[in-house]
Structure formats: C-alpha cells, structure tokens
Amino acid sequence: MIHILFQIFVFQALFLAVYDLFLKKEKFFNLNRIYLLLTPILGCLLPFVNIDFLQQNIPQEFIFQLPTIFIDTNTSETASNESSFWLSSLWSFWLIGSLLSALFFSWKFNKIIKLKSSGTTENSQNLKVVTMPKTDTAFSFFNTLFLGETISEENKASIIAHEKIHIEQKHSLDLLFFEMLRIIFWFNPMVYLFQNRIATLHEFIADAKVAIEKDKKQYYQNLLSEVFQTEKISFINTFFNQSLIKKRIIMLQKPKSRKTAQLKYLLLVPVICGMLFYTACSDNPKTEEPPAVQQNDSETVTKTNEIEVPFAAIEKVPTYPGCIGADNETLKKCFSENISRFVGVNFNTELANDLNLSGLQRIFVKFKIDKTGKVVAIQARAPKPELEAEAIRVIEKLPQMEAGEQEGEKVAVLYSLPIVFEVK
C-alpha cells in the first residue's frame, strides 16, 4: 500500500515537472488544460498497470519476492501479508482526513450560497448575475456571475466578458474535479499544485479570448486600475486575483507559440514508458542485499554453467513437494503457502526470550532453487546475528524441490523472503 502511494506521488510529481519546465509558458491553452486534467489520473492508474512484455524483459538480477511471513511469539503461526492493525490504523487515518476535507468543501460551498442569498439576482444573456452589496469581489461559479456593487461600470464590461469565457468553457467543472481529488487524496500535495496550475491556466484562457475582441491596452488598465478583494474559495474563477495579475499580463504579451513547440508534448512518451517499466520492475521487487553470503560448508554454489531466468518469464516455476497445478499461478500460490507454513512451524520463537527482544524484528532472506531443485546460496540480514542464523537454519531445512524449467531445460530461480518476527 505505502509503495503504491509513493509511486502515485512520484508519478504525479514527474508529470507536473514536465508541465512546469516545458509546457506552462506555451500558449497551447486547450492542450495544457487536457494535460492538467489527465496526468493526475494517469499518475493514479499507472502503478496498477502491468505489461507482460516489460516484465519478461526485466534484467535477471530481479528476483521474486515471496509474501511476507509474520511469526507471532505466542502462536508461531503465519499471518497475512500486512498486519491487520496497521491496515486498520491507516484506513482510519485516511478516513478522518477525507471527512475533514469533505467538511471543509461543504463550508466553502455554503459560503457561496450565503453570498448568493446576500445579493440580488438578475437573469442576463443566459447568465445569473448576483450583485453583492458593499464589496468589489468578482468571480463566477458555473452559470452564475458574482459582482460587487462597488465595481465601476467601466470595469464591469471587461469582467463580464472575462467571466463568460469561464462559464462557457465550464471551468468550474475542472476545479470541482480537483476538489474531489482533494477529498480522496487530501494527504497528497501534488493535487493542490495541479489545482493551482489549472486555475491559473483558466485565467490565461479567458484573458486570451477577451483580448481578441477588446483593445489589449484598455484590458491591462482594467486589470490594474483598482485593488479588488478576492474570495479565498478554491473552486471558483476569481477575476481579480492580485497574485496572478502580473502573470496574466505577461502571458497576454507573449507571442503565439509556434506549432513546432507542440512536439514538447511528445515528452510524455518516454516519461510514461519509464513509469511503466518501473511498475513492471516493482512486481519483482529487490530486497536489500545482506552483508555477506552464508551457506553450508558442504554446499558450494558456482555460477558457471548455471542458467538463471527472471521469475516472471519462466515457463514452469519451481514446485514444492505435493503441489499440483495446471498453471504457474496455481503452483506459485501453493509454493508460497507451503513456504509460509514451513517457516512458521520451524522458526524458533524461544529466541525472543534468549535475546530479550521486543516489538517487530524484520529478517530478509534470499535463496536460490538451483537446477537440481536444491535450496542453495542462502543469504540473510537481520538486527541480530542469531536471527540471521535461525532464518538460514530454517531455510536450509526446506525439502527438495522440483526445479523450474525454461525451454525444456532445468534452470535456477532466485527468491527473496521477508520475515517479520513479532515479539509480544
């Protein structure tokens, strides 16, 4: 779970970096709008996309990680891959954050309702214009335009023209989309940054449309003539946002982007390919390398003349004694279940008392099932040497396996096995 959330964060950060470095200053506003709406979703989906072709071409150093084994000092039985307590705590934490975000959204939405009820509403050109007393605020929300009564008549024409673009292009939908993402991914700062970028882009779009129909110099003067208040609501299109006025004027003065600049969007291709390759590799994660290799003196493992293949590409996986299955998935499941059961039963839980241990003790084991079916090249890393030795002792006791096969030949397969020794 944590690994997937980390991938989502990193992928969205990469997409945003591409936008800021290469696309933000271009005047391809519609393409940029599509980019900002799609890439946050792509960042959420790509960690779950696995392409077999990429998996089959992962370098041979990648090994298959078996499910984590949890050993309880009281029961010596295996538990699920993740602690139920950890999952329930994480779920509760996320739920509380989402509820608070939803309440904050409701408060902002209620603020708009109050502003609407405080003013007078008129229908004009398929728009609802709400005139608010004693303010110079100006913003739009869906098909409703909010105007402060203290705004000069000279500026009202530019404001209405500008806000009509927001309404016609349904910019409020974009902002509400990010509000929903903020409720779900309230902990992810990338969502807030994406929303900020698209709100700025909305202003560029509206300015560009209005500047075509009106005199640019006059439009600049309207932007700078007065100091206007701004409602701090993240899903409305505010006309006079002081922090954006300079950026808007600079963008209005920029010449139209050359068509060749659209080639910058092709940067998405290598970025997405890199992400897909990373997720493919993540299905066969590496464990941290132990400091040294430990094995029986009687066993000498040589890498010469030994064929090793990536686990994802192997035609027939190694088979635990007694496992029967018509396909690799069935044999993998049976293999994992038997390894977990074997380690849970044979691991010496008395070490907890002997070593005065407490809490969770994590042990990382790596081993190979060679082309004869023997378990060899056992490596271990743990907080205590005694735990390393115990993990190696248990893995050495594994029964003779049926070796894996590739193209009709026996091959060796590498495995990693995380063990969590829980001392209560």
Side-chain angles (χ1 to χ4, degrees):
M1 175 66 73
I2 298 297
H3 182 61
I4 289 176
L5 292 176
F6 175 75
Q7 288 183 66
I8 291 173
F9 174 82
V10 171
F11 291 174
Q12 290 180 342
L14 285 173
F15 283 132
L16 192 63
V18 170
Y19 177 80
D20 282 349
L21 292 174
F22 302 104
L23 306 176
K24 183 171 67 173
K25 294 181 180 180
E26 300 296 340
K27 301 188 77 169
F28 303 120
F29 298 136
N30 290 329
L31 288 176
N32 281 350
R33 183 183 179 188
I34 293 171
Y35 181 96
L36 290 174
L37 289 172
L38 286 183
T39 50
I41 299 300
L42 277 177
C44 294
L45 295 179
L46 285 174
F48 300 96
V49 176
N50 297 315
I51 299 179
D52 293 338
F53 170 79
L54 291 176
Q55 287 187 331
Q56 292 171 1
N57 287 276
I58 294 173
Q60 294 183 0
E61 300 85 51
F62 286 85
I63 62 180
F64 179 69
Q65 180 168 306
L66 293 164
T68 301
I69 297 175
F70 284 83
I71 300 174
D72 193 309
T73 54
N74 295 330
T75 63
S76 296
E77 295 178 356
T78 59
S80 60
N81 289 357
E82 294 184 24
S83 167
S84 58
F85 173 77
W86 169 254
L87 282 177
S88 61
S89 299
L90 191 63
W91 171 258
S92 299
F93 184 63
W94 171 81
L95 187 60
I96 291 171
S98 294
L99 288 173
L100 290 174
S101 298
L103 287 173
F104 186 51
F105 170 77
S106 300
W107 175 81
K108 290 186 290 186
F109 193 80
N110 186 58
K111 189 174 182 180
I112 293 177
I113 295 174
K114 286 184 177 179
L115 286 172
K116 188 174 182 179
S117 61
S118 67
T120 57
T121 303
E122 297 177 358
N123 292 322
S124 175
Q125 301 177 356
N126 298 322
L127 298 178
K128 290 182 179 179
V129 180
V130 178
T131 303
M132 298 173 293
K134 300 178 182 179
T135 182
D136 51 11
T137 298
F139 67 91
S140 62
F141 182 62
F142 283 98
N143 67 334
T144 303
L145 173 59
F146 293 79
L147 291 174
E149 67 175 2
T150 60
I151 298 176
S152 65
E153 292 298 324
E154 182 180 357
N155 283 329
K156 277 186 180 180
S158 294
I159 293 172
I160 292 172
H162 179 98
E163 295 301 322
K164 278 183 68 176
I165 303 299
H166 288 311
I167 293 169
E168 289 170 0
Q169 298 208 1
K170 303 186 187 305
H171 288 167
S172 294
L173 284 176
D174 297 357
L175 297 176
L176 279 180
F177 165 73
F178 282 102
E179 287 295 317
M180 296 303 104
L181 285 184
R182 284 172 59 164
I183 292 174
I184 299 171
F185 296 102
W186 55 268
F187 52 87
N188 185 354
M190 290 299 110
V191 176
Y192 300 84
L193 293 176
F194 269 101
Q195 188 181 39
N196 173 268
R197 299 299 189 277
I198 203 160
T200 302
L201 182 64
H202 287 168
E203 299 309 313
F204 294 162
I205 292 171
D207 286 340
K209 295 279 187 182
V210 175
I212 294 173
E213 301 172 1
K214 294 182 177 291
D215 180 65
K216 282 188 178 181
K217 290 184 179 180
Q218 182 63 40
Y219 193 63
Y220 298 156
Q221 290 175 359
N222 290 338
L223 284 174
L224 298 171
S225 60
E226 299 182 41
V227 177
F228 289 83
Q229 297 176 10
T230 301
E231 286 294 337
K232 301 297 184 182
I233 300 175
S234 56
F235 54 88
I236 62 174
N237 294 111
T238 305
F239 182 76
F240 285 101
N241 187 332
Q242 296 175 35
S243 64
L244 283 180
I245 288 177
K246 181 179 178 181
K247 293 180 181 179
R248 288 165 62 183
I249 292 176
I250 291 173
M251 183 59 74
L252 277 169
Q253 291 176 331
K254 281 178 64 69
K256 188 176 180 180
S257 298
R258 295 180 180 180
K259 289 187 177 181
T260 54
Q262 292 181 1
L263 294 174
K264 291 181 180 181
Y265 292 95
L266 294 178
L267 289 169
L268 275 178
V269 176
V271 171
I272 292 176
C273 287
M275 293 174 181
L276 289 173
F277 184 77
Y278 177 81
T279 56
C281 293
S282 297
D283 279 352
N284 296 283
K286 296 179 181 179
T287 55
E288 296 183 39
E289 290 292 337
V293 176
Q294 303 184 41
Q295 59 187 50
N296 286 340
D297 294 337
S298 59
E299 297 283 359
T300 302
V301 181
T302 60
K303 293 187 178 180
T304 57
N305 299 323
E306 178 127 317
I307 301 173
E308 297 179 12
V309 296
F311 192 85
I314 193 169
E315 293 176 356
K316 182 182 178 184
V317 297
T319 306
Y320 196 94
C323 287
I324 300 174
D327 54 61
N328 271 346
E329 290 304 317
T330 303
L331 293 175
K332 287 179 191 178
K333 183 178 180 181
C334 183
F335 185 95
S336 298
E337 290 174 350
N338 279 281
I339 292 288
S340 297
R341 189 178 301 109
F342 183 93
V343 174
V345 169
N346 288 278
F347 199 94
N348 179 19
T349 57
E350 295 300 323
L351 284 174
N353 295 327
D354 297 341
L355 301 175
N356 194 27
L357 300 175
S358 62
L360 297 178
Q361 306 294 319
R362 300 184 183 276
I363 308 166
F364 297 91
V365 184
K366 188 169 78 173
F367 61 91
K368 181 194 297 183
I369 298 178
D370 67 13
K371 59 185 180 182
T372 68
K374 290 183 179 180
V375 178
V376 296
I378 305 168
Q379 306 178 42
R381 182 180 60 80
K384 299 282 186 180
E386 293 85 355
L387 292 176
E388 293 179 358
E390 178 60 17
I392 292 169
R393 182 191 70 81
V394 173
I395 298 301
E396 286 175 344
K397 292 180 65 176
L398 286 170
Q400 176 81 18
M401 311 284 180
E402 183 181 338
E405 294 184 12
Q406 182 74 9
E407 297 181 356
E409 294 186 14
K410 301 292 185 182
V411 293
V413 178
L414 292 167
Y415 290 89
S416 68
L417 178 65
I419 301 173
V420 175
F421 184 29
E422 185 177 5
V423 183
K424 293 184 179 180

